[in-house]
Amino acid sequence: MHETNVLTLALQLSKKAGDLIAKQRSSLSVSFKAGVELVTQADVAADKLITEGILKSYPDHVILSEELNPDQLTDAEHLWIIDPIDGTVNFAHQHPQVAISIAYYHKGKARVAVVYNPFLDETFHARAGRGARLNDLPIRCADKTELSRALIATGFPYVREDLPLLMRRLEAVLNHCADIRRIGSAALDICWVACGRLDGYYESVQPWDFAAAQLIAREAGAVFGHIDQLDQEINPELCGDNLVIASPKIFPLLQSILRQVDH
Ligand code: IPD
Ligand code: CA
Ligand code: CA
């Protein structure tokens, strides 16, 4: 199996899913998972399109996807991780910050990543060891040195039980950076760190939110990590708890501010 074929398939499927969700946006039927998390028929249809497309070419590969296979175990040799629409709330409100995220992992490590925004026609992609690209042009993260000049993105979960901690973190970061953005798509937040539109990002998310974008960010020179040291047995590339992703000089400054906040 060649990674170039995996990348070609991921790019094709992301475009097809993008066309599908763009068509469905004018007649959306919206529902709420667990009463709070917005989901549309387009999320499920895009998940189906991508999942079937992968299994047609690679019937023995395992797929972890937000809508159809969210409980799939992640220790498979060949694992695809899909968010069919990242930024569903934006999508349902006609905001353009929406992405289709597709990652291919081999033995627990990200090898191929595609994050496609059909509304801005921007495709981010990366292969391990081969750099990251936006619409086929190489990208690098920003080289800012001062946190006080840095633009930092974050997000908030649908279930608000950790809100006091999240507010303490927000206050601490806002006190030290230039400004904060809550744009509404974790995958794009991370890709925007990769291309220098943002200097850093922190949040707790699910594997499908960051699996592709973290490879794109690392291949663009950004640092990927977590607020606290992870236990040895945890695979950092599949752990979305307390993520921090930032350009190299900003990363330790942002991580240190977040570490000082009481848990
Ligand atoms: C959400 C977005 C958002 C993040 C949430 C995610 P969804 O994904 O990435 O930016 O703050 O935690 O759940 O629901 O739009 O796929
Ligand atoms: Ca998501
Ligand atoms: Ca989603």
Side-chain angles (χ1 to χ4, degrees):
M1 191 208 46
H2 290 293
E3 279 176 13
T4 42
N5 297 341
V6 169
L7 175 62
T8 304
L9 180 65
L11 287 167
Q12 282 168 354
L13 292 173
S14 71
K15 290 273 183 297
K16 281 188 187 164
D19 290 348
L20 182 147
I21 71 165
K23 277 196 198 109
Q24 295 199 358
R25 193 165 66 163
S26 53
S27 56
L28 280 184
S29 93
V30 169
S31 55
F32 291 87
K33 288 191 259 183
V36 285
E37 186 170 346
L38 195 152
V39 64
T40 72
Q41 89 278 9
D43 294 71
V44 178
D47 198 325
K48 193 161 177 287
L49 183 154
I50 298 165
T51 298
E52 287 176 358
I54 294 165
L55 291 178
K56 205 168 157 196
S57 297
Y58 302 107
D60 58 335
H61 287 195
V62 172
I63 296 174
L64 171 72
S65 69
E66 182 176 12
E67 308 306 336
L68 299 183
N69 292 292
D71 301 320
Q72 184 60 61
L73 292 176
T74 51
D75 56 359
E77 182 178 353
H78 300 285
L79 176 71
W80 294 70
I81 306 180
I82 298 159
D83 194 339
I85 302 183
D86 187 54
T88 294
V89 175
N90 284 345
F91 177 64
H93 291 82
Q94 314 276 327
H95 296 202
Q97 198 71 345
V98 172
I100 287 128
S101 174
I102 304 178
Y104 166 73
Y105 277 49
H106 184 244
K107 295 185 176 169
K109 304 270 177 228
R111 301 294 311 171
V112 173
V114 172
V115 173
Y116 172 51
N117 180 336
F119 302 108
L120 298 182
D121 199 17
E122 291 193 328
T123 305
F124 295 85
H125 82 257
R127 277 179 61 191
R130 294 179 173 244
R133 289 174 175 258
L134 164 53
N135 289 350
D136 276 330
L137 297 174
I139 49 173
R140 294 300 294 170
C141 65
D143 58 0
K144 218 162 273 171
T145 54
E146 292 163 77
L147 188 56
S148 60
R149 299 273 179 249
L151 192 56
I152 306 296
T154 189
F156 308 102
Y158 293 98
V159 178
R160 303 275 156 80
E161 56 197 18
D162 281 338
L163 205 53
L165 169 64
L166 300 183
M167 291 300 107
R168 288 198 295 280
R169 284 182 177 166
L170 190 66
E171 184 177 356
V173 174
L174 189 53
N175 258 323
H176 288 88
C177 70
D179 206 348
I180 295 229
R181 293 289 180 272
R182 193 291 187 254
I183 306 177
S185 159
L188 287 172
D189 288 340
I190 299 165
C191 288
W192 280 29
V193 172
C195 69
R197 293 175 187 167
L198 293 165
D199 302 293
Y201 160 83
Y202 73 94
E203 190 177 4
S204 286
V205 291
Q206 297 294 325
W208 45 77
D209 297 311
F210 77 97
Q214 63 94 5
L215 178 63
I216 293 165
R218 287 192 291 116
E219 287 294 325
V223 181
F224 164 81
H226 296 78
I227 296 176
D228 300 308
Q229 188 82 36
L230 293 184
D231 289 346
Q232 290 250 303
E233 68 275 10
I234 296 176
N235 178 355
E237 291 194 48
L238 288 168
C239 175
D241 297 339
N242 300 314
L243 285 182
V244 185
I245 301 175
S247 56
K249 301 266 172 45
I250 297 299
F251 181 90
L253 305 173
L254 179 59
Q255 188 189 43
S256 156
I257 298 290
L258 290 162
R259 279 184 172 172
Q260 287 165 38
V261 175
D262 285 343
H263 299 35

